[in-house]
Amino acid sequence: MIIGKGMKHVLLVVVFTGIAIGLHQFAPDPLNEGISPSIFYRYNLFIPMITINLLLTFGLLALVAGIFVKRMSGNGYQIGLRFGFAFSILWMLGFLEGSLYYGSSIKHDIMHGLADGVPMIILLTIWGKVTIRDSVRMKKQSRLFAFVVICLFHLCGRYFMYLVLGIDSRVDVKPLQIFIWTVSVGLAIGYIYHVTAESLQEYSVIKRASLFSLVIFGIDWVLFYSFDPLIQETSLLMNFVRPTLDIIFVFLGVIVYEKMIELKSCAMHESR
């Protein structure tokens, strides 16, 4: 039975990786977007490397969901759909950085984002359905303020990166577009926390922030940025400093948000 479930999960990851790769074939070729092709492109290793990366990405995303999913309210379908939708939104927004920073077309970024985002939603929805059969009572607990706090910290981290560290971002050329994109990504990260936070409530604030920023959000975000060096020539340092600083500032944002919630709860308790 255990082996059967494991093989079922592996099969789902393999199938939807294949679907994602197939969908990418209908999107504009990155080589026609004016980029310098990577060594993997030049030596015909691009498809094998992308396949391995997508298998790893989808597999780890499902694994992370599996670790925390039983602590979430709802049935398997609901949980899988929420997980998949949250991360697909982040990925589709992430792809739009290409048009802002590398000069690729909006059409290119949207279509490649959908090629990964749609299979991601369906994969995790089906995964939740076949993994969790018993429904549990939905808990009504609003964490909408997490959107604001985490978004603000992500925004501060990005502009620290852009303006203080001098990471090339085109913020001087496209200030409004960069600001809107940065806020949108911050809200998407806040939404992921909104979706997954109840699975972390048994932990301390520091552990809660660590698990979210490093495991739930961080692994996926680093893997997202790992695709870029496979496609085009780019500085590995400049490429990976972005998700690294995002993880650090999201960690700080979660701590501040949770401490604010604790203080509010204590104040309400004392007032009674």
Side-chain angles (χ1 to χ4, degrees), residues 13 52-62 91 120 220 223-224 226-227:
V13 169
I52 293 170
N53 227 25
L54 270 176
L55 285 169
L56 184 63
T57 299
F58 283 3
L60 285 175
L61 192 55
W91 272 57
M120 192 178 291
D220 180 79
L223 283 170
F224 174 80
S226 71
F227 284 88

Side-chain angles (χ1 to χ4, degrees), residues 204-205 208 257-267:
S204 67
V205 170
R208 210 176 298 163
Y257 167 74
E258 291 293 347
K259 285 295 184 181
M260 291 171 69
I261 295 301
E262 282 188 359
L263 290 173
K264 180 181 178 182
S265 178
C266 291

